[in-house]
Amino acid sequence: MNFNQFNLDSRLNTGIRQADYQTPTPIQAQAIPIALNGRDLIGTAQTGTGKTAAFVLPILHKLLTGPSKQTRALIITPTRELAEQIHQTITSLGKGTNIRSVTVFGGVGAAAQIEALHNGVEIIVACPGRLLDHIQNKYARLGKLEILVLDEADRMLDMGFLPDIKRILKHIPKQRQTMLFSATFPQEIEQLAAQTLHNPERVAIGLVRPAHTVTHTLYPVPHHLKRELLLKLLTQTDTDSVLIFTRTKHRAQRLAKQIARSGYNVTSLHGNRTQNQRTSALKGFKQGKTQIMVATDIAARGLDIDSISHVINYDMPDTADAYIHRIGRTGRAKRTGEAFTLTTPDDDDMVRKIERIMEQLLPRQTLPDFDYNVPKPEYPQNGRKSKSRDNQKSTSRPKHRAR
Ligand code: AMP
């Protein structure tokens, strides 16, 4: 099976060849023919399955005939990093074409986006908030839109983007092709699909795909010894690039500092950093200049970095699904990877859920030369009083769920 079977416009061959795609992935094999037929599509697939090319190739094929310099396709995605990644896939697969795409997201200046929109682009890859601004200011004109992609719909729901998406939909022609991708289908997403798609075909790729190339290990540890255990693990393990997940952006920031103090080259990726900081953190990590990155789920969602050998869940994810997403960052492109999860007794329920979804019991590991019996200090190691609700100033509490 190869890409010729799709009868894609021959101008796409250069990009496919340069990307070194030999065989379509399962989601591509299923979705591309449906999309090329102009049908609406619901794809159950997470990042790492090749889903980006599954919608980008049919879009490029379609845009190669018909008018240029007007926005004919819109891809809406939850995070800036994902928007950038999709834009890069469009650029590389569209190498042999003149099709232009622009990314539209907040946290960076609007001028370059406005200029690109003014000059005329065929594809917009956007996060919802900034796109709405550009629509309201009439910089983005979607009246001629032919194809809409809602990518990572469940994550957009989690991030509170649904109202924005509904507002955007009012500016888009009803007569269009719509593709919706989501890893899970809570009721709100089913409703959105029912309202926005017309007689869609469904394609599904199982959630547990990365498991085949990833080894999972749980490291039970008392809560107060997590950091020491992590540092021990880092010294004992032969790693390439390491991605560490924390539950909140504050914890990501703090842990990165603590790891740096132990002499590692470390960066962090979370919503409290500026877009410039996020971009340069990611760049250094991708290029291997920074060995360790500490991130939150949302910031690291869908990142496509080949060299990640280890994903470490410093904090347990909120859902089993988030676990799958996190470990999907390693073991990519047929490489092998390892997923370490630090678990405290509070995490028992979640461990059971993950084991159920993975259909396997995950091995528990203890480090022979680690003292698990060190008592909990009265005050945390940094000397400050423990943050009980009483002594925490109300101004220092996160205003919304910290990510
Ligand atoms: P995605 O799920 O879209 O983030 O893609 C995950 C990774 O798989 C990206 O690095 C893609 O470049 C790569 N990829 C996508 N399709 C193929 C293919 N048919 N053959 C090999 N690699 C692919």
Side-chain angles (χ1 to χ4, degrees):
M1 199 189 216
N2 62 38
F3 279 86
N4 292 338
Q5 77 197 38
F6 299 128
N7 286 325
L8 291 163
D9 191 295
S10 59
R11 284 167 282 183
L12 296 175
N13 292 343
T14 321
I16 295 173
R17 213 176 312 116
Q18 282 191 12
D20 200 23
Y21 293 177
Q22 315 276 342
T23 317
T25 66
I27 186 84
Q28 290 162 0
Q30 290 185 49
I32 291 176
I34 298 168
L36 286 173
N37 264 336
R39 288 283 305 271
D40 280 4
L41 177 81
I42 295 180
T44 310
Q46 57 173 318
T47 313
T49 53
K51 81 171 151 68
T52 315
F55 60 77
V56 165
L57 284 170
I59 289 176
L60 290 172
H61 175 87
K62 184 160 185 189
L63 299 191
L64 279 166
T65 46
S68 59
K69 285 204 157 193
Q70 67 188 39
T71 303
R72 299 172 60 196
L74 168 65
I75 299 157
I76 308 182
T77 192
T79 69
R80 301 156 186 176
E81 284 77 13
L82 271 176
E84 206 45 66
Q85 223 163 263
I86 294 168
H87 170 72
Q88 278 162 17
T89 303
I90 295 170
T91 312
S92 74
L93 291 177
K95 204 157 249 158
T97 76
N98 293 323
I99 293 169
R100 281 149 303 188
S101 108
V102 65
T103 50
V104 162
F105 47 69
V108 293
Q113 298 171 6
I114 293 170
E115 191 185 341
L117 291 170
H118 179 75
N119 291 338
V121 286
E122 289 79 31
I123 307 178
I124 296 178
V125 187
C127 300
R130 179 64 67 85
L131 177 64
L132 258 183
D133 291 347
H134 287 323
I135 292 174
Q136 272 147 11
N137 292 320
K138 308 239 181 318
Y139 296 127
R141 293 171 188 278
L142 303 177
K144 299 272 167 53
L145 202 81
E146 296 166 39
I147 310 172
L148 170 70
V149 176
L150 298 171
D151 185 36
E152 308 251 346
D154 51 351
R155 189 54 50 161
M156 295 207 274
L157 169 73
D158 287 350
M159 291 171 73
F161 286 150
L162 227 49
D164 279 355
I165 289 170
K166 288 184 177 156
R167 263 176 238 135
I168 293 167
L169 284 168
K170 294 201 178 111
H171 298 268
I172 299 178
K174 288 215 162 53
Q175 185 74 22
R176 59 160 196 264
Q177 181 179 21
T178 308
M179 296 183 246
L180 180 146
F181 290 86
S182 200
T184 56
F185 283 84
Q187 204 188 354
E188 292 93 328
I189 295 302
E190 286 293 355
Q191 270 168 4
L192 178 75
Q195 287 159 6
T196 26
L197 285 92
H198 175 69
N199 192 19
E201 280 231 29
R202 283 188 181 251
V203 298
I205 296 301
L207 267 179
V208 291
R209 190 202 69 107
H212 302 304
T213 50
V214 178
T215 319
H216 309 254
T217 313
L218 304 181
Y219 288 89
V221 63
H223 201 274
H224 66 282
L225 295 179
K226 271 184 161 185
R227 193 181 71 210
E228 282 70 21
L229 187 85
L230 173 75
L231 293 173
K232 190 89 186 166
L233 269 173
L234 288 175
T235 54
Q236 289 193 349
T237 315
D238 186 15
T239 61
D240 200 347
S241 297
V242 184
L243 180 58
I244 301 176
F245 284 96
T246 61
R247 193 165 37 76
T248 67
K249 46 195 178 184
H250 307 285
R251 285 170 70 76
Q253 185 73 19
R254 199 171 56 206
L255 186 64
K257 278 194 188 140
Q258 289 163 338
I259 295 173
R261 257 183 245 133
S262 298
Y264 292 95
N265 202 348
V266 55
T267 188
S268 61
L269 188 76
H270 54 78
N272 268 359
R273 305 202 78 190
T274 65
Q275 189 53 40
N276 275 347
Q277 289 171 328
R278 285 167 69 160
T279 307
S280 81
L282 200 53
K283 195 168 161 209
F285 187 60
K286 270 190 175 175
Q287 291 173 345
K289 289 183 186 151
T290 322
Q291 190 202 352
I292 302 175
M293 184 159 80
V294 187
T296 55
D297 285 294
I298 284 178
R301 171 91 174 188
L303 292 183
D304 180 29
I305 302 168
D306 270 354
S307 57
I308 296 177
S309 62
H310 289 75
V311 166
I312 303 182
N313 296 310
Y314 183 75
D315 293 323
M316 192 61 143
D318 290 341
T319 61
D321 200 45
Y323 179 84
I324 304 290
H325 279 292
R326 288 180 178 185
I327 59 150
R329 305 304 109 234
T330 185
R332 298 171 80 80
K334 298 197 183 125
R335 293 168 58 120
T336 53
E338 287 191 84
F340 296 161
T341 303
L342 274 52
T343 59
T344 67
D346 292 344
D347 299 326
D348 284 354
D349 277 355
M350 191 49 66
V351 167
R352 271 193 294 277
K353 279 187 194 151
I354 291 169
E355 289 182 326
R356 214 172 305 131
I357 206 169
M358 302 289 306
E359 293 175 343
Q360 56 172 293
L361 283 177
L362 305 182
R364 275 76 170 159
Q365 191 78 257
T366 47
L367 299 183
D369 50 351
F370 184 80
D371 185 358
Y372 286 86
N373 295 318
V374 175
K376 188 176 179 181
E378 217 166 292
Y379 296 134
Q381 290 88 329
N382 61 13
R384 283 211 311 270
K385 261 193 168 183
S386 162
K387 269 191 180 175
S388 73
R389 288 244 171 250
D390 299 337
N391 66 18
Q392 197 180 4
K393 280 189 197 147
S394 59
T395 49
S396 68
R397 285 202 199 131
K399 289 192 182 61
H400 35 236
R401 206 152 60 114
R403 284 286 181 190

